Amino acid sequence: RATHRLRKKHGPRIHSKSKTISRRSIVRKPTTLTNHPDRPPHNNGVIASSIFRTARSCRRSILLILLSAPFFTYGVLVFRFATNIPYQDDFDAALDFMNQFTHSTTLVKRVKLIDMQHNEHRIVLDRLVFLGSYYLQTRVNFRTAIIFGNVGWLLTTAALMTIAHRHFRLSLPRLLPIPYILLSFVHYENMFFAMAAIQNYWFIFLSVLFLYWLTTARPLGYLAVLFPITLFTSGGGLAL
């Protein structure tokens, strides 16, 4: 009876084994993240990868700045020192041509003047640039012609770098000598010589482009258009 009274007073008796199981099911041990002593923590790998990507991006940015610096310097100097003054062959190739062209009354004669031989060359592109300058700016502007001619040399340098990078798989560091050599000022006479800048620089650019397209799977129509343009920029020889 005493036992019955105690059970009635304090509730049913719980077996020790079931009590242990119920405590295990209720009480959860906190999980702690512990790093293995011989294994580097995961966060260090993420940080190292992020630093590597940042360094690689900074390296590429520095290389691009170094590659573009000669283009910027060359362009600024040409724009700064180009003058609207004829020099040597500019008198014949530009001024004398424009005098004859403006006084010509027939279309046939004007076409012949554009195609007229200058020494041993055909300089159709030069004459078209001078005509454009005359009709757009109301006069032959040699400064504009100088800037336009040097654009051809900038395009030549960019084309050679692009071909070397894509076709020959040269990395950016190996491309660095190209702009620093080609965009130097050893050819300053061509740089500030209106008709020579157009003739020589654009002829080289068009020739490089034509030869590159000739070695690739370009449509024949592209070559058929580009070849006469190149030829009549500074063509010469018995055929002309």
Side-chain angles (χ1 to χ4, degrees), residues 75-159:
V76 168
L77 289 177
V78 170
F79 192 81
R80 171 68 178 81
F81 293 106
T83 57
N84 187 21
I85 299 175
Y87 176 69
Q88 290 188 356
D89 286 4
D90 288 337
F91 291 96
D92 295 329
L95 299 179
D96 184 58
F97 161 73
M98 288 304 306
N99 287 331
Q100 295 185 52
F101 187 88
T102 53
H103 288 87
S104 299
T105 56
T106 62
L107 179 62
V108 175
K109 190 173 182 180
R110 288 187 172 187
V111 172
K112 287 183 177 180
L113 285 171
I114 294 174
D115 187 52
M116 182 175 59
Q117 190 168 339
H118 177 76
N119 296 328
E120 69 276 15
H121 301 291
R122 302 284 182 179
I123 55 171
V124 175
L125 182 60
D126 279 79
R127 293 183 175 126
L128 291 177
V129 171
F130 292 133
L131 284 172
S133 174
Y134 177 78
Y135 286 108
L136 292 176
Q137 300 178 298
T138 67
R139 67 184 186 278
V140 177
N141 193 317
F142 292 97
R143 186 174 188 274
T144 303
I146 289 171
I147 294 173
F148 176 79
N150 281 275
V151 169
W153 190 239
L154 293 174
L155 291 176
T156 302
T157 307

Side-chain angles (χ1 to χ4, degrees), residues 18-28:
S18 63
K19 186 176 181 181
T20 305
I21 294 172
S22 63
R23 284 180 179 179
R24 286 179 180 177
S25 61
I26 295 173
V27 179
R28 296 180 180 177

